[in-house]
Amino acid sequence: ALQVQGSARDIAGLVGYTNTYHRLNWGMAVQQIPYLSVIPYYPSLDSSGAIVYPTVLFRQTQRTASWIFSYPFSRVQRIEGNIGYANITYNFQEIADYYDPTGFFLNETKINLGNQFGGHTYNALNLGQASMALVYDNSFFGYTSPILGQRYRLELGTTQGSLNFETGLLDFRKYFMPVRPVTLAFRAMTYGRYGANAQDEQLGYPLYLGYDGLVRGYGYNSWDAAECQPDAVSPCPAYTNLWGSRIVVGNAELRFPPLGLFGAGGPFGFLPIEMFFFGDGGYAWSGSSGVASDPTSQIYAYYAGDRKPIFSAGGGLRLNLLGFAVLAIAEVHAFNRIKAK
């Protein structure tokens, strides 16, 4: 697979092979994935009176080679593993757009900063990685989501080389139907990085609670300056409260086919539509060592400071688009935001 967008440095590619002829399934893969993010800054005036909008384009390119395997104990339980090598490089590019006071575009400048930014040098990382997971899944899917059964994943991993740390994941999900066709779905999940370099800034940003698959209503790109009340640690504590090297998440959801409740086409309805109501909660925190105790770090605020749990609730609809995708529309209220979006 090959994906080309932007410049030559933004090319993503994957070459892999999988052998499924025996009970022990195994495969190999080599890939390159560029992660591109934009760091915005407040506009300012230059000496000529032009308005300057500065941004920094941050590229983190990951190249990996890995061997993976899966061995089933039964139809619903298996172990999975991965052994590999990763090379990670960093590049920063400073971009400035100039406008006159009327808003007319004047000029754009670009400066390649290499692997240096904010007084820090981000050297390339060479990492050996290994993980092992126990997986169980006897869930039964309805039109758009699981409606019965349970799933869990217990995974341990280690990374050694330029950085040394361990990871742990426990993700448990349970689905049951107290009254047909209504499903109650519960999830409990925790994930964390542990060890000497678990909070090193060269890992990039720490873990974030606000993705839709974790705690809904706190989307990464939905924040603005009106929600920020700076303190001694962070320019936006409400936002950095959602970051850390370890997270725990809980979700509860009530699901049902609205047409099925009225017997329109059987217990699950004649259209693949599901209505749901949910409540989400989560908490992020950090360890006591590493970059979290270094105020000179560029991402110090994302690890340091007090942390508080966050919650949200809402409801919506899911629609199965002829088996190709599931479309979800939801209204969410985030309880821990000044201006929820």
Side-chain angles (χ1 to χ4, degrees):
L2 184 67
Q3 179 178 337
V4 181
Q5 60 180 13
S7 69
R9 289 179 294 185
D10 300 317
I11 295 175
L14 168 67
V15 177
Y17 169 79
T18 303
N19 186 312
T20 59
Y21 289 103
H22 305 284
R23 187 168 186 175
L24 175 64
N25 298 329
W26 62 274
M28 298 178 292
V30 178
Q31 64 180 336
Q32 172 177 295
I33 303 177
Y35 297 96
L36 184 65
S37 59
V38 176
I39 306 172
Y41 291 88
Y42 288 110
S44 61
L45 293 177
D46 71 357
S47 58
S48 68
I51 304 172
V52 185
Y53 291 86
T55 59
V56 171
L57 202 61
F58 171 45
R59 288 184 176 88
Q60 177 179 307
T61 303
Q62 182 169 319
R63 303 173 182 90
T64 62
S66 58
W67 180 78
I68 57 176
F69 75 89
S70 175
Y71 186 86
F73 298 120
S74 66
R75 292 181 180 273
V76 297
Q77 190 175 51
R78 65 185 183 274
I79 58 170
E80 297 177 353
N82 172 76
I83 300 174
Y85 163 80
N87 168 260
I88 303 174
T89 58
Y90 304 87
N91 178 265
F92 298 88
Q93 185 178 40
E94 188 176 74
I95 302 173
D97 292 319
Y98 294 80
Y99 294 82
D100 70 13
T102 67
F104 180 76
F105 176 75
L106 299 174
N107 188 26
E108 180 180 79
T109 62
K110 296 182 179 180
I111 301 175
N112 186 13
L113 304 178
N115 65 341
Q116 298 186 5
F117 178 66
H120 292 260
T121 298
Y122 294 80
N123 295 316
L125 302 180
N126 295 288
L127 307 170
Q129 300 174 319
S131 66
M132 184 77 72
L134 176 64
V135 182
Y136 182 93
D137 187 351
N138 74 344
S139 60
F140 178 77
F141 267 71
Y143 284 140
T144 64
S145 64
I147 58 175
L148 286 171
Q150 69 179 32
R151 309 157 70 186
Y152 66 74
R153 184 180 186 90
L154 174 61
E155 181 174 351
L156 299 174
T158 184
T159 297
Q160 303 294 319
S162 302
L163 299 176
N164 303 305
F165 61 94
E166 285 70 46
T167 58
L169 167 70
L170 174 60
D171 191 337
F172 177 81
R173 312 180 189 203
K174 179 70 174 179
Y175 317 97
F176 64 95
M177 192 175 291
V179 178
R180 190 178 184 186
V182 176
T183 291
L184 289 176
F186 297 96
R187 178 197 189 192
M189 188 275 284
T190 182
Y191 177 75
R193 299 171 181 160
Y194 306 86
N197 303 121
Q199 298 171 165
D200 193 284
E201 62 184 3
Q202 285 200 244
L203 288 172
Y205 284 104
L207 308 175
Y208 184 64
L209 271 178
Y211 293 113
D212 282 347
L214 298 175
V215 181
R216 285 162 281 197
Y218 298 84
Y220 182 82
N221 294 315
S222 67
W223 295 78
D224 60 38
E227 301 184 77
C228 297
Q229 298 177 345
D231 62 16
V233 175
S234 169
C236 190
Y239 176 62
T240 55
N241 178 63
L242 277 69
W243 299 82
S245 58
R246 302 158 195 178
I247 60 174
V248 61
V249 172
N251 312 100
E253 193 167 289
L254 175 71
R255 306 170 176 170
F256 59 91
L259 298 178
L261 287 182
F262 299 100
F268 297 99
F270 63 89
L271 288 176
I273 298 175
E274 177 182 78
M275 181 173 285
F276 62 92
F277 298 96
F278 68 88
D280 296 340
Y283 180 71
W285 75 102
S286 301
S288 59
S289 62
V291 75
S293 60
D294 179 10
T296 66
S297 166
Q298 293 297 306
I299 57 172
Y300 168 76
Y302 292 88
Y303 285 116
D306 295 332
R307 293 292 189 265
K308 299 177 181 179
I310 63 170
F311 302 94
S312 66
L317 289 171
R318 295 189 182 100
L319 172 64
N320 188 317
L321 300 176
L322 302 176
F324 292 102
V326 174
L327 174 66
I329 302 173
E331 178 67 26
V332 185
H333 177 73
F335 294 100
N336 302 89
R337 294 186 65 168
I338 298 173
K339 181 182 178 182
K341 292 186 177 181

